Amino acid sequence: MRTIFRRAPFQRALGLAWVIPALALVGVFVYLPLVQNFGFSTLKWDIYSGSQEYVGLENYRKLIGDPVFWSSFGNNLLYAVVSIAFQVFGALLLAALVESIRSERWRRGLRAVYFIPSAISLTVAGLLFYFVYEPNLGLLNHALDAVGLGRFGQSWLGQGDTAMLAIIAMSQWQGFGYSTLLFAVAIQRIPSEIYGAAAIDGTGPIRRFVHVTVPLVREMTGLMMMVTISGAFQVFNEVMVMTGGGPDNSTQVLGTWLYRSGFVRNNFGYAAAIATVLFVITLGVAMAQLWVTRRRRVEW
Amino acid sequence: MRPRALTTFAALAGASVLTLAGCSGGPANAPAADVTAEAEFSGTLSILTKFAGDPLSPYFEDLAAEYERLHPGVKIELIQETDQSVKDKTKTLTASDALPDIYFTWTGNWAENFVRGGRAADLSKVIGPDTPWGRTFSKASLSAFAYDGRYYGIPLYNNGKFMGYNKAAFAKAGVKVPATFEELLSSCPTLRKAGYEPVAFGNKDGWPALHYLQQLFAYTVPEATLQADFRPGTAKLDHPGYVTALKQFKTLVDTCTDTGDGTNGVLYTSAQEAFSRGKAAMYYQEVLEFDNATAGRGLSPDDFGIFPLPVPEGAGGNPKAIEGAPEGYLVNARSPRAALAVDFMKFVTGSKNAEKLSSPPYGQPSTVIGAVTPKTSSKAVFEGIEMVNRAPQLASWLDMVTVPEVADAWLAGGEAVISGDTAPEKVLESVRQASASAK
């Protein structure tokens, strides 16, 4: 017993020594920048002279009165709501439909078809859809023309009332297949006996979906909702490529307004304040995700 | 929070603040560059250009190779960016205190920031108007980079904005070069009937609208008022000419472009291409774009003509003002190779290389006296630069002449005017607010 007592502190110290390098790396590259960013958000920083003036919470006060910050926040929320509708509930429905197909070959084929857009990078997809939406040469206006709906053709990304929806639509196209695939995997994990029992009880496909599939994939549903919301607040690439936040800041999201505040308006302290708010939102969503996945675990 | 965690957090925050203080050294950490010293021909000289992509990128690549051949101990590290990306790149390098030895600059507030921040070397002793090197440049181009009587920039090429037009399209439609803004507007339906988009215009990036606006402001607002309004400290932005110009711009977009209020969804390069393919009759463009416009098969150099944006009737500003400014390079004030940087830029602006820059396919009219001639440059480039040189007032780019916050408000305002979402009066009010906030 004495030997064990003597060796325990040594082993604890040894264990700590092993994790110190990893802790140091995470600390320097993850946590220190976060703290630093908060430090920057309390400064008025002139990148040209290098001078940094402490302004306390002034940047946060300015943020509250900034209409573009709030419209950006609103765009992120809209993004989240539409993404939940399509990439969570829509994808679940589609996955259930695909998985209900008897032919394995068709199931595999359809999964691949839906997944392909997700293999394209967002930047490339954004560029691709920029040309789809282009008012003169774009595929969408030409397609509308071809089916006699030319009067609905317009400059999709050039108008404040359609630009954000056009970007969100592209994003759904890009992310829909990935969510569908994840739901398909979750549905495949449901034991077939449960469906068999439901069939013996005389339940139709809709009731089977509502009373068997939906409850048994709730863990995945919860996870997908959190991932989707978190992703909606980290949107950047597609907006930058397709509109750059315009016209008249109508498609700004928090990420692009942060970028514009820093790199275009030279207000890096204010940009850091937006980054802090963005971090708090995504951290909150991540915490909620952890809580939800811990509480809604399905076991059989 | 538990006491132990609080202590850890406080220590972390303290360390972070110390790190911040350490990182915020700015340009004062290195000794000042001596641009008059004898150049030492060794080491690596870094240069950030705005010449990425075709047809411009080979220009500096060839010069770097030639300079390295002449001076075997020197290696030139080229960082070539585009017009759009050079802005972010420069700011990132500035913030991280890693500017190269030589870097691209616009005139106006853009260059002034580097001068004010102590990041641009004072080149007065080597490029001042009375120095041998300075005498090779036009005085106006040197003055464009002068602040408080000191000369900081090496002007590389001159630039101006003109309406390029397709002579064949005008002839087919029976339209003459418009003498007034109103004539320009009235020519558009005729050109459309003849099968052309009257004016190709793409404003996805926002700044093309600012080019129209700045030229119209120069016509409608007196120069002294404009200059005062560019600086937030003196800005009033209450001259009625601003609203008039915004309304004129909106009328032009609605009357003369096919995309009208959807123009914000069109890339400026798409508009440029529509003109160079012969689909559009006019395209408002920089002298730097002239040779590119006629490089394809759609528009021959003989069919390409230019005229300044016509002046609206009764305009209260300067009717002879032309929008334009030279573009050039600054030498890093803390560069240990400042003398070598100056030598390299003397090589770049030597008469042979200046003529090469002014000739097709580059078509960038050099600021070096005698480099732009009918022999070295295309007819349009020569004609455009002659008009720029004769202009009594040069109106610098709106997104560069004023502080970024105000420029950004103008940019959003230009987009709002095009899409018709905001009245010109409200756009001006938002610019006024941005200016007040930037004080």
Side-chain angles (χ1 to χ4, degrees):
Chain A
M1 287 297 280
R2 283 185 66 176
T3 315
I4 291 169
F5 273 125
R6 254 188 254 130
R7 282 181 66 185
F10 172 74
Q11 281 182 338
R12 268 203 300 271
L14 193 65
L16 199 61
W18 282 114
V19 297
I20 277 175
L23 280 177
L25 283 173
V26 171
V28 169
F29 291 107
V30 178
Y31 293 104
L32 184 61
L34 287 175
V35 180
Q36 266 190 321
N37 182 72
F38 180 72
F40 285 137
S41 73
T42 62
L43 300 173
K44 188 178 180 188
W45 180 18
D46 181 351
I47 61 162
Y48 299 99
S49 66
S51 70
Q52 294 176 337
E53 181 194 339
Y54 178 73
V55 292
L57 296 177
E58 182 54 36
N59 285 323
Y60 292 91
R61 267 193 288 273
K62 193 176 163 188
L63 196 135
I64 290 166
D66 178 2
V68 182
F69 169 78
W70 290 108
S71 66
S72 305
F73 184 74
N75 281 337
N76 280 114
L77 276 182
L78 179 67
Y79 210 104
V81 169
V82 176
S83 297
I84 286 172
F86 279 89
Q87 295 189 36
V88 180
F89 297 113
L92 172 60
L93 195 63
L94 184 68
L97 279 172
V98 170
E99 291 310 308
S100 66
I101 295 171
R102 284 176 188 273
S103 161
E104 174 64 21
R105 188 186 293 174
W106 272 100
R107 279 206 302 271
R108 276 188 197 164
L110 284 171
R111 270 185 230 132
V113 165
Y114 288 121
F115 184 71
I116 283 170
S118 301
I120 302 172
S121 96
L122 261 176
T123 310
V124 174
L127 203 61
L128 184 78
F129 268 73
Y130 170 77
F131 288 105
V132 169
Y133 291 135
E134 217 271 349
N136 296 322
L137 317 161
L139 188 69
L140 182 55
N141 280 356
H142 279 288
L144 287 171
D145 254 344
V147 296
L149 296 172
R151 65 186 182 281
F152 293 113
Q154 56 182 298
S155 178
W156 300 95
L157 296 172
Q159 296 282 6
D161 49 357
T162 54
M164 196 65 224
L165 292 172
I167 295 172
I168 293 174
M170 183 285 290
S171 192
Q172 304 316 308
W173 172 84
Q174 203 268 347
F176 194 58
Y178 183 67
S179 314
T180 304
L181 198 72
L182 290 181
F183 275 118
V185 172
I187 291 170
Q188 283 165 19
R189 286 185 61 231
I190 299 172
S192 56
E193 293 84 358
I194 301 178
Y195 282 114
I200 290 166
D201 287 348
T203 54
I206 295 175
R207 287 190 70 191
R208 274 207 299 275
F209 173 72
V210 174
H211 294 293
V212 178
T213 309
V214 172
L216 293 182
V217 297
R218 67 170 187 250
E219 192 181 339
M220 179 60 81
T221 310
L223 181 74
M224 286 305 296
M225 279 183 78
M226 296 308 154
V227 169
T228 306
I229 295 169
S230 177
F233 278 93
Q234 291 173 38
V235 168
F236 182 79
N237 287 6
E238 52 268 57
V239 178
M240 280 307 285
V241 170
M242 294 172 80
T243 62
D248 191 18
N249 293 321
S250 61
T251 58
Q252 295 287 1
V253 288
L254 290 177
T256 53
W257 187 233
L258 179 164
Y259 166 84
R260 195 154 193 88
S261 298
F263 284 91
V264 177
R265 299 165 77 101
N266 288 355
N267 202 339
F268 284 89
Y270 186 64
I274 300 173
T276 304
V277 172
L278 201 51
F279 169 69
V280 169
I281 293 169
T282 48
L283 179 70
V285 174
M287 300 294 275
Q289 178 186 334
L290 287 174
W291 183 77
V292 165
T293 49
R294 192 176 298 169
R295 282 178 60 94
R296 296 177 63 125
R297 188 146 293 160
V298 178
E299 285 172 8
W300 46 73
Chain B
M1 195 180 277
R2 286 179 299 141
R4 201 167 155 186
L6 190 65
T7 317
T8 313
F9 181 77
L12 201 59
S16 158
V17 171
L18 287 175
T19 315
L20 275 180
C23 289
S24 65
N29 288 344
D34 183 3
V35 294
T36 56
E38 195 70 30
E40 204 175 295
F41 294 100
S42 64
T44 301
L45 189 69
S46 53
I47 173 165
L48 173 64
T49 83
K50 199 195 78 167
F51 274 12
D54 280 336
L56 297 174
S57 61
Y59 181 72
F60 271 101
E61 286 164 9
D62 293 349
L63 291 191
E66 175 71 3
Y67 193 79
E68 284 174 353
R69 195 182 61 75
L70 292 170
H71 306 286
V74 178
K75 186 170 174 2
I76 307 284
E77 185 196 336
L78 273 182
I79 310 159
Q80 305 233 70
E81 295 290 333
T82 62
D83 188 86
Q84 198 66 29
S85 67
V86 75
K87 296 169 188 168
D88 298 347
K89 184 83 176 185
T90 309
K91 287 184 183 178
T92 308
L93 292 172
T94 306
S96 53
D97 212 9
L99 276 171
D101 299 306
I102 304 164
Y103 53 99
F104 170 82
T105 185
W106 283 278
T107 57
N109 181 264
W110 182 273
E112 193 178 359
N113 280 328
F114 293 95
V115 172
R116 179 181 53 77
R119 294 188 185 268
D122 180 356
L123 303 176
S124 302
K125 286 180 182 168
V126 289
I127 205 170
D130 298 327
T131 61
W133 190 27
R135 278 194 287 272
T136 66
F137 295 95
S138 66
K139 277 189 180 171
S141 66
L142 286 177
S143 302
F145 297 99
Y147 298 91
D148 297 327
R150 315 296 301 170
Y151 293 83
Y152 292 89
I154 303 150
L156 191 69
Y157 47 82
N158 227 330
N159 200 3
K161 195 95 178 177
F162 294 90
M163 188 64 90
Y165 73 103
N166 184 331
K167 289 178 182 173
F170 271 45
K172 187 181 166 192
V175 168
K176 286 183 181 170
V177 171
T180 64
F181 187 75
E182 289 70 21
E183 276 184 34
L184 171 68
L185 296 178
S186 63
S187 71
C188 292
T190 318
L191 286 161
R192 192 170 280 122
K193 268 187 197 163
Y196 297 96
E197 177 177 16
V199 176
F201 182 29
N203 194 49
K204 178 184 174 271
D205 296 314
W207 56 260
L210 297 189
H211 288 188
Y212 275 105
L213 288 176
Q214 180 69 325
Q215 181 65 76
L216 289 169
F217 291 159
Y219 289 154
T220 55
V221 181
E223 190 186 2
T225 310
L226 276 178
Q227 292 303 328
D229 287 345
F230 290 146
R231 297 185 176 275
T234 54
K236 287 184 183 164
L237 289 155
D238 56 359
H239 194 280
Y242 288 113
V243 172
T244 307
L246 286 165
K247 286 179 179 169
Q248 286 163 343
F249 172 61
K250 174 66 175 160
T251 311
L252 176 81
V253 172
D254 289 345
T255 314
C256 293
T257 69
D258 282 358
T259 38
D261 59 9
T263 301
N264 290 318
V266 183
L267 270 171
Y268 86 94
T269 46
S270 302
Q272 190 182 45
E273 210 172 295
F275 176 67
S276 63
R277 279 189 293 122
K279 303 280 178 197
M282 289 178 270
Y283 169 62
Y284 196 44
Q285 59 199 288
E286 297 170 34
V287 175
L288 310 183
E289 296 172 82
F290 288 177
D291 285 351
N292 202 26
T294 55
R297 287 185 193 164
L299 182 66
S300 71
D302 288 339
D303 275 340
F304 179 63
I306 58 165
F307 58 87
L309 189 70
V311 185
E313 282 168 8
N318 189 341
K320 294 195 182 302
I322 285 182
E323 186 181 20
E327 293 174 4
Y329 286 80
L330 299 173
V331 172
N332 187 342
R334 304 291 151 184
S335 166
R337 290 164 291 275
L340 182 65
V342 166
D343 187 78
F344 177 72
M345 289 312 290
K346 279 181 179 172
F347 170 73
V348 170
T349 56
S351 60
K352 189 184 105 192
N353 291 327
E355 283 177 13
K356 183 181 171 186
L357 181 67
S358 311
S359 314
Y362 306 119
Q364 313 292 297
S366 170
T367 46
V368 171
I369 295 167
V372 183
T373 66
K375 279 185 182 173
T376 57
S377 307
S378 63
K379 187 171 168 270
V381 169
F382 180 71
E383 192 186 336
I385 284 305
E386 283 291 292
M387 281 196 263
V388 168
N389 291 338
R390 281 199 305 268
Q393 178 196 336
L394 279 184
S396 191
W397 315 116
L398 187 53
D399 50 346
M400 294 298 158
V401 74
T402 187
V403 297
E405 211 166 333
V406 177
D408 199 42
W410 275 124
L411 192 132
E415 291 173 342
V417 167
I418 288 174
S419 58
D421 293 338
T422 314
E425 291 82 0
K426 285 205 166 178
V427 167
L428 189 61
E429 180 54 36
S430 70
V431 176
R432 246 182 247 130
Q433 283 173 6
S435 184
S437 151
K439 265 181 192 169

